[in-house]
């Protein structure tokens, strides 16, 4: 485990002022580097950024120091920073006439334009598929694609309490500080809690209640309105790397994290997780995941991708830099991963999002559990669409077919209709409704479904619309009313149609 002394957060406001004064912000970086170099930096490619920071402005100095982790001349560092304080507090060290950073400080734009900073170990700003190439047990990562994905899918409504399990460098706690009166952050790695403290302080956010321990141990039986976790979900042989390896057999860590969250959620509260799960020979993966959902909770689980066991092993061996070691050592580690999967009958590994909501209906034995595969692009932030999904499930749970026919619906915003067929044909082969917001779904509908959706503006009950369509198409209105509610239910469930309250 790394033993580098971490900075003291006490005088972070002074450092923050200097960073802001130099425009060391997400927008400032984009202006300085340009889009191609900025994008390359997100991929951990530093050469374009080095070329763009050959001047001597304070901003160029800070980019080289904290992002590119290059030594800078003492005089340039002094012009950009309250240098004596930064040396004393441990943000940087001076060697001869050069100054080096002790930690990675990365500008991060908040959802409402806030200038935030994520503090992490050097060289660990981007993990996962990008590969950090570090095999230090206690390393703490910064911002990566998984972090921003979780932040984007989280429901952001005002809450009294939020819990970030496995906080790492504190990104989720930072987001939660905007809408939670009290934020608790836990981690098994004491260095991670210190980095969270630094991230919050340097970002000008309120301090969090930081607790050391595994999973829910540090909070006992306390309950929360929001739980978020980007856990060490990697399914691996052993627990070599704290930041990514769960340390439990197979996908047991993710299952335990999800199962035990039900007892820590308040009524109406949400829990959001990123997770990996095994695809086991002879088992349906959706049935497997449905068993993870705790009693009293509704669930929406989305599988974003599946990798076969060889792809998965190679991804995470590259992540830790094992592909750059002795070939025999690499082969031995690769074999160990495949042995683990073979012993468990694992044929693939899924990755995705798990969202839970505590509800009275679920507690009464009527949970809404939706488990689906959706590998396509979505609109981020997705939090509003997640909240709308559960609201629609509440509506559908209360409506039988007769209730749907008396209900009124409106076509969701930015849904378009596409007609597919041969050029010059009188009628299309099929009609597709496509969303340009949220999950960006597409669904094939027949002529009745297309006509129904096109008329829905919230003014007429569904039954009356169907009667009009039956008259236009010379169909029996009774038969049409009988066969259409299931199609309406699907269009509502997938977000193409939105129920309109009786008061308009």
């Amino acid at each position: 485990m790394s033993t580098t002394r971490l900075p003291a957060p006490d005088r972070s406001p002074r450092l923050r002022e200097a960073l802001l004064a130099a425009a060391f912000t997400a927008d400032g970086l984009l202006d300085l580097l340009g889009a191609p170099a900025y994008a390359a930096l997100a991929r951990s490619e530093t050469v374009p950024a080095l070329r763009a920071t050959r001047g001597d402005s304070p901003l160029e100095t800070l980019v080289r120091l904290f992002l590119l982790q290059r030594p800078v001349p003492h005089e340039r560092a002094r012009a950009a920073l309250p240098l004596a304080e930064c040396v004393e507090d441990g943000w940087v060290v001076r060697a001869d006439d050069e100054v080096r950073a002790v930690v990675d400080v990365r500008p991060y734009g908040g959802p409402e334009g806030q200038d935030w900073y994520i503090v992490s170990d050097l060289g660990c700003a981007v993990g996962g598929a990008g590969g950090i190439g570090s095999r230090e047990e206690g390393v703490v990562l910064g911002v990566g694609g998984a972090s921003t994905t979780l932040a984007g899918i989280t429901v952001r409504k005002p809450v009294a309490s939020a819990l970030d399990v496995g906080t790492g460098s504190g990104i989720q706690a930072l987001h939660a500080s905007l809408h939670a009166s009290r934020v608790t952050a836990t981690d098994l790695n004491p260095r991670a809690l210190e980095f969270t403290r630094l991230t919050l302080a340097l970002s000008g956010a309120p301090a969090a209640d930081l607790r050391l321990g595994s999973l829910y141990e540090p909070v006992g039986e306390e309950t929360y309105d929001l739980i978020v976790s980007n856990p060490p979900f990697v399914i691996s042989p052993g627990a070599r790397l704290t930041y990514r390896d769960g340390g439990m057999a197979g996908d047991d860590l993710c299952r335990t994290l999800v199962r035990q969250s039900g007892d820590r959620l308040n009524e109406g509260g949400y829990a959001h997780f990123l997770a990996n799960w095994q695809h086991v020979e002879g088992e349906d993966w959706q049935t497997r995941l449905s068993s993870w959902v705790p009693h009293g909770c509704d669930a929406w689980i989305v599988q974003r991708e599946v990798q076969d066991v060889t792809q998965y092993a190679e991804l995470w061996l590259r992540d830790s830099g094992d592909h750059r070691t002795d070939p025999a050592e690499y082969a031995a580690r690769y074999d160990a991963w495949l042995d683990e999967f073979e012993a468990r009958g694992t044929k693939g590994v899924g990755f995705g999002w798990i969202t839970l909501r505590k509800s009275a209906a679920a507690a009464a034995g009527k949970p809404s559990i939706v488990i689906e595969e959706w590998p396509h692009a979505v609109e981020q932030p997705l939090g509003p669409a997640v909240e709308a999904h559960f609201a629609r499930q509440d509506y559908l749970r209360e409506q039988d077919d007769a209730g749907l026919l008396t209900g009124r619906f409106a076509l969701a915003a930015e849904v378009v209709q596409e007609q597919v067929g041969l050029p010059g044909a009188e009628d299309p082969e099929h009609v597709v409704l496509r969303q340009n917001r949220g999950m960006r779904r597409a669904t094939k509908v027949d002529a009745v479904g297309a006509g129904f959706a096109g008329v829905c503006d919230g003014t007429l009950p569904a039954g009356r619309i169907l009667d009009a369509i039956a008259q236009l198409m010379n169909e029996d209105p009774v038969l049409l009313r009988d066969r259409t509610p299931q199609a309406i239910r699907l269009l509502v469930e997938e977000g193409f149609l939105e129920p309109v309250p009786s008061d308009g």
Side-chain angles (χ1 to χ4, degrees):
M1 178 179 291
S2 177
T3 57
T4 304
R5 181 177 74 90
L6 296 182
D10 301 343
R11 288 186 284 194
S12 295
R14 285 260 294 154
L15 174 56
R16 175 175 171 80
E17 288 172 10
L19 300 181
L20 293 175
F24 186 64
T25 63
D27 289 342
L29 285 182
L30 184 57
D31 290 341
L32 172 68
L33 302 178
Y38 188 84
L41 194 59
R43 301 191 299 270
S44 296
E45 294 290 348
T46 59
V47 172
L50 284 168
R51 293 174 61 85
T53 56
R54 289 179 288 194
D56 59 0
S57 70
L59 177 55
E60 288 166 295
T61 298
L62 293 173
V63 171
R64 281 192 165 247
L65 182 65
F66 286 121
L67 289 191
L68 305 179
Q69 284 131 39
R70 298 296 197 275
V72 300
H74 173 262
E75 289 305 314
R76 286 180 57 180
R78 191 169 64 176
L81 293 167
L83 187 56
E85 288 182 8
C86 287
V87 171
E88 184 179 345
D89 292 347
W91 293 94
V92 298
V93 293
R94 181 177 178 181
D96 298 325
D97 202 36
E98 288 186 333
V99 174
R100 290 180 176 271
V102 172
V103 291
D104 183 301
V105 178
R106 189 154 300 245
Y108 180 73
E112 298 167 8
Q114 297 92 343
D115 290 316
W116 286 342
Y117 298 96
I118 309 300
V119 188
S120 65
D121 271 314
L122 294 175
C124 297
V126 179
I132 65 166
S134 174
R135 287 178 287 166
E136 286 195 56
E137 178 189 343
V139 71
V140 176
L141 302 190
V143 181
S147 308
T148 54
T149 293
L150 180 59
I153 67 173
T154 300
V155 172
R156 301 295 177 190
K157 62 179 184 178
V159 294
S161 57
L163 172 64
D164 177 14
V165 181
T167 186
S169 55
I171 301 163
Q172 308 308 324
L174 184 56
H175 278 276
S177 71
L178 290 179
H179 61 103
S181 301
R182 176 173 57 89
V183 177
T184 302
T186 72
D187 207 288
L188 182 64
N189 181 359
R191 282 173 55 79
L193 297 181
E194 292 306 310
F195 274 115
T196 294
R197 193 189 313 277
L198 294 171
T199 289
L200 294 173
L202 196 57
S203 298
D209 178 7
L210 305 177
R211 305 190 192 181
L212 180 66
S214 177
L215 300 181
Y216 300 108
E217 288 176 1
V219 300
E221 297 182 359
E222 295 175 33
T223 58
Y224 298 85
D225 302 311
L226 173 68
I227 298 174
V228 292
S229 183
N230 176 17
F233 52 66
V234 176
I235 300 169
S236 62
R240 193 161 54 117
L241 301 175
T242 303
Y243 74 87
R244 70 168 204 194
D245 298 327
M248 296 186 186
D251 52 19
D252 281 358
L253 181 132
C254 290
R255 179 181 59 81
T256 301
L257 184 65
V258 173
R259 288 287 298 168
Q260 293 183 356
S261 65
D263 294 332
R264 274 82 180 180
L265 271 180
N266 293 327
E267 181 72 21
Y270 285 88
H272 301 273
F273 308 100
L274 298 186
N276 275 180
W277 43 79
Q278 298 172 119
H279 282 237
V280 179
E281 194 74 44
E283 264 189 73
D284 177 70
W285 70 271
Q286 292 171 307
T287 302
R288 177 185 178 82
L289 285 181
S290 68
S291 70
W292 291 16
V293 179
H295 175 73
C297 288
D298 302 314
W300 185 19
I301 301 175
V302 181
Q303 179 167 273
R304 296 290 286 161
E305 67 173 308
V306 183
Q307 292 184 317
D308 67 50
V309 293
T310 59
Q311 291 174 310
Y312 189 80
E314 290 162 13
L315 168 68
W316 295 108
L317 287 168
R318 286 194 303 272
D319 170 77
S320 55
D322 286 304
H323 62 305
R324 293 191 292 268
T325 62
D326 174 70
E329 181 183 346
Y330 173 77
R333 290 198 183 278
Y334 200 151
D335 258 337
W337 283 70
L338 297 185
D339 286 344
E340 176 79 7
F341 290 134
E342 185 177 334
R344 299 187 171 280
T346 304
K347 58 183 180 179
V349 178
F351 168 80
W353 319 322
I354 298 176
T355 298
L356 307 176
R357 185 194 56 168
K358 193 78 168 281
S359 77
K366 297 191 296 182
S368 163
I369 299 177
V370 176
I371 303 175
E372 61 178 321
E373 186 163 17
W374 188 254
H376 311 293
V378 300
E379 179 191 36
Q380 284 281 30
L382 197 65
V386 172
E387 192 170 10
H389 165 89
F390 286 97
R392 294 193 302 269
Q393 294 300 317
D394 288 343
Y395 172 84
L396 292 172
R397 190 159 37 191
E398 297 169 358
Q399 304 298 324
D400 57 14
D401 287 356
L404 287 177
L405 293 176
T406 60
R408 292 178 294 147
F409 304 94
L411 193 65
E414 297 191 36
V415 171
V416 297
Q417 177 178 303
E418 301 173 357
Q419 297 188 167
V420 181
L422 294 173
E426 184 175 343
D427 296 311
E429 292 178 15
H430 60 262
V431 177
V432 173
L433 298 181
R434 187 178 301 278
Q435 302 168 350
N436 287 313
R437 304 296 305 273
M439 293 291 284
R440 294 178 174 158
R441 298 184 190 275
T443 189
K444 196 182 298 185
V445 293
D446 59 14
V448 172
F452 180 84
V455 174
C456 283
D457 62 3
T459 60
L460 292 175
R464 287 183 59 186
I465 295 175
L466 289 177
D467 291 344
I469 291 174
Q471 187 173 4
L472 286 171
M473 301 181 68
N474 294 317
E475 291 212 30
D476 184 329
V478 175
L479 293 178
L480 194 60
R481 279 175 172 253
D482 283 345
R483 77 168 194 257
T484 307
Q486 188 57 38
I488 296 175
R489 191 175 294 276
L490 181 62
L491 290 174
V492 173
E493 180 174 328
E494 294 194 337
F496 292 94
L497 296 177
E498 297 174 345
V500 175
S502 57
D503 60 4

